[in-house]
Amino acid sequence: MMIKFKVTIIACLLLCVQNVFSQNKTITGQVTDSQGNTLPGVSVVIKGTTKGANADFEGNYSLPDVSPNDELVFSYLGMNSQTILVGNRTKINVVLQDNLESLDEIVVVGYGSKKKSLVTGAISSIDSKQIKSSSNQRVESVLQGRTSGVTVSSSSGSPGSGAKIRIRGAGSSGNSEPLFIVDGMKASSIADIAPSDIANIEILKDAASAAIYGTEGANGVVIITTKRGRKGGLQVAFNSQFGIQSLKTDMELMNASQFVTYMNEAGLTSVVDNGYDTDWIEETFSTAVMHRNDINLSGATDHFSYYTSASHLDQDGIVGDGSTSFKRSTFRVNLKGDVAKWLEVGINSTYSTSDKSGIQENSDTRGVIQNMLIIDPLTPVTYANGSVPQSVIERSNTNGVPVLKDRNGNVYGYPSFSTGEVINPVAYANNINRTTVDSYQFLTSAYLKFKPFEGFSFTTRLGYDKNQFDTRNTINPYYVSSEAANTTYTGSQTIVKSKRWLWENFASYEKEIGNHNFKLLAGYSAEETRVTTPTSRSGSASIADFTGFDFDLPDFNTQINLIDPSPDNMVSMFGRLSYDYSGKYLFEASIRRDKSDKFPAANKAGTFPAFSAGWVVSKENFWKENSKLDYLKLRASWGQNGSRNNLNGNSDKTYITSTINGQSIDYLGNTGAQITGYSNLNLVWETSEQLDLGVDLRALDNRLTFSADYYKKTTRDAIINDGSLITPGSAGFVSNEFNAGTIENKGFEFELGYGDTTESGLRYNINANLSTLQNKVTEILLLPEGTSLTGAGAPQNADGITRFTEGQASWYFYGYKTDGIDTATGEVIIKDTDGLAGITSADKTNIGSPHPDVLFGGNISLGYKAFDFNLQFQGTIGNDIIATYHQPSRPITNKPVHFFNERWQKAGDVATFPGAASVTGSYETDLMVEDGSFMRIKQIQFGYTLPENFTSKIHIKNLRMYVSLDDFFTFTGYKGLDPEIGNFNYNSIGVDRGFYPTAAKAVFGLSLDF
């Protein structure tokens, strides 16, 4: 009986076990690393199937319909995969261990990838986690403050305006933009790539890393890899942002009382208080909204992956009433298929359209912001009903031009006392001058990758990049003064198209022989770029005949300056050898030879070699296993890169035209001709040579990371495409591009990071970077010894405000140095620098440099349970800014309030600024130069991820909400609108002509994963 009872019990137990192990269920859990940090995006797949899920932002996952007999495979880039039998568990938490060999795979280099431990060059990375936490609308902004040696400054704060990226300083006298590579394809711009589509960004800073790109790597390389589909079924992600923008500045202009006092002290007693006191900064700027929506669908099977996305950005500007705006729509498709074990195919495509509306900028006399800074505060924004001055009405009637009115029919205020070109900036922004740019970009690449035997692969890739920019400028009639008037409806249109195809073929072979590891790369590429201007026309219509800005009408259809396409073809051969011994001793050599028809026949080809070496000291036998220092690598590199960024082509040709502005040249009844560009048969490649010494280490169980580099970058035969700088005015023509000289940049770079998780669950990660920069012109060509190239101009300095001179920083500020204010007269005391009696233009000298001595940035990330916090900052130390918006020929103009507060008033005063009667004498001196050092908090972001027990009920994998304050806080001594001065031209860095400032943004967003 007892035996029968025992058998029954055992049978019941077996039945219960069978029931437990046969019932499908939902498995949940959290995935962390060895330090307790949660791992978002971990792939959880049922072994032998395509069924799976991805961990959310907090590392949590949920996988339904799982059998107890199933095995779950947990995999994550940079970690050892784990396979776990489900059994009777419903919650499985997993700790993935670091896999250094796997971590090393994430570094993308030219024409391939590389283990981090084997990298011998200077490469900085930005991963998808950093990009995801950013609320930036443009890719360039994502780079700000995140890596050492990289400077990103907006060319303007206007919506849709691009940014200038400098890697290790301005290495050229002209265009110093890096080369952009998107999914292996050269891209003319990255402005239209949605940040949400980016998986990671690699920045190749030294010559050895960039040398494989030869002619276009002199200014560094930015490699962008977009997202791919991952296993786990269809995945849908949606991101939405809504932002409110405003101006945050400490700048003040003189108010009405101060202005009247100042003008009276200058002897202009006609300036009297008329009852108005307009704060033009407050009136010109307003709040503006922006919103962005992104959605992507992705997935993968064992043999196929896909990623598709759509993104739309709509942003208004903070100047005027809708005067500036930007709309961008971007669509992406990435497909990859493993057709066979030996064949992989793929295609990556993006298409974007954008519409940008802007105001007049970057002008010393015709800019909206410039007018805002100098118009008198005694002018109203609009006149009250019945208070329009008779003089305004008379000007309108006399010239047959309607008065300027706002949308409500109110007449805009005309300057009460300011003269010349000065216009009401609100009217200027809203009713006078408007520029629109409609553009599109199509960037695609398709490839075949053959792997016929182990270690060998051959890739053929064809890329195509097509762009079009349709720029229209319209000017309505107005009459404010004889200098500020337009009595017709005037317009112009220019359409520029560019096309580039690139065909690349390269083979790689990897081989291990004992502890010796070899990797060979050899390739050939051909490309063709064509830039054409099929339409360039302008015209005007009288007020009586105007029916609209239709550029197909005869009045607006005068073709001008049609530009012939310049040849731009290039063929290249390149190769690279990588070697390491047990991952301990590292060596790499590369060479590339490019042949470009942008250069004269004798100099079309250029060869660019590079070498680098490294020593992983921590792999030596003498290294103690219990050392607090986990990893140490020393590296060095040398290489040469070329640049053709500043070449239009046809430099070896002399151009002759028989028309000017659409009209035939006529000389006494005979058809004439004129030279427009004179050939330069001696033009050679601009070559950048760079030495880099670096160290990388990890310590404290890999929680601490540190890298340091010393670099010296020498750019020889720097190219300038403005031949007028070396052509005498009496020549009657200008030269084509020329080699200007040698520029040297050198400095140190440091990157430091520390991350951990406390026992209470607090996650933190702190990263900081700092770099120094010394910029100097060491040689100048084609000019007599002791002379300079003249750069940017300004009304206050007929000799130019920037110069390119041997022994000085490139394009430094040029003017008079001062020695205080004369206590007796209140006049500026000019320093005599040439040693000759009297003050002449020969006493002008270096009064400041736009190049920072130090650049820094950093990021602090915190997380606790469902809450997260992110703070990002960046700044510069030691750079100068020069203000050129002042008008020496217009005495009745407003000025910043410190001109008033720090002015000389009576004999005996010790002052910083001259008396009001003598202020014009300061406009071309170092009194207009200020320290541009600043630190800006780029982002303060708070986020909250809803708990899984809530999101699972509404069938959502992840829902995170956040609020972000971007560019809200700036610490600076600069008294202008914005210390983060952009630059439109290479020779105008740091020149403030009335810069459209960066808007502060309060952004509300959510991220949703299905």
Side-chain angles (χ1 to χ4, degrees), residues 30 37-38 56-60 129 133 756-757 760-765 860-871 941-948 958-963:
Q30 187 180 56
N37 299 310
T38 57
D56 63 18
F57 188 78
E58 294 297 325
N60 298 313
K129 187 175 180 180
S133 67
D756 200 1
T757 300
S760 62
L762 175 66
R763 309 178 302 277
Y764 62 91
N765 200 292
I860 300 173
S861 298
L862 305 174
Y864 183 72
K865 295 185 178 179
F867 296 92
D868 61 86
F869 169 81
N870 187 71
L871 184 147
Q941 186 180 109
F942 295 89
Y944 177 74
T945 301
L946 270 65
E948 184 186 359
N958 181 67
L959 175 58
R960 176 178 178 264
M961 299 176 291
Y962 61 89
V963 59

Side-chain angles (χ1 to χ4, degrees), residues 144-145 248 250 767-770 852 854-860 871-879 881 931-940 966-974 977-981:
Q144 287 184 309
K248 298 291 182 183
D250 293 327
N767 295 280
N769 63 81
L770 182 145
V854 177
L855 304 99
F856 63 90
N859 184 272
I860 300 173
L871 184 147
Q872 184 189 351
F873 62 90
Q874 77 160 113
T876 63
I877 299 174
N879 58 298
I881 297 173
D931 182 3
S933 304
F934 74 96
M935 185 182 79
R936 171 163 283 169
I937 306 299
K938 299 299 296 181
Q939 181 185 78
I940 301 178
D966 296 356
D967 299 311
F968 239 77
F969 304 100
T970 303
F971 306 93
T972 182
Y974 180 60
L977 280 173
D978 187 352
E980 203 172 350
I981 292 297

Side-chain angles (χ1 to χ4, degrees), residues 626-666:
N626 60 352
S627 172
K628 294 293 184 182
L629 197 60
D630 304 304
Y631 177 84
L632 174 63
K633 178 173 65 177
L634 305 178
R635 49 186 168 76
S637 69
W638 174 91
Q640 292 183 338
N641 305 102
S643 176
R644 58 195 185 110
N645 282 352
N646 300 305
L647 283 177
N648 295 320
N650 297 322
S651 61
D652 55 341
K653 296 179 175 62
T654 297
Y655 277 87
I656 300 174
T657 184
S658 58
T659 61
I660 299 178
N661 294 330
Q663 303 296 319
S664 298
I665 298 176
D666 183 84

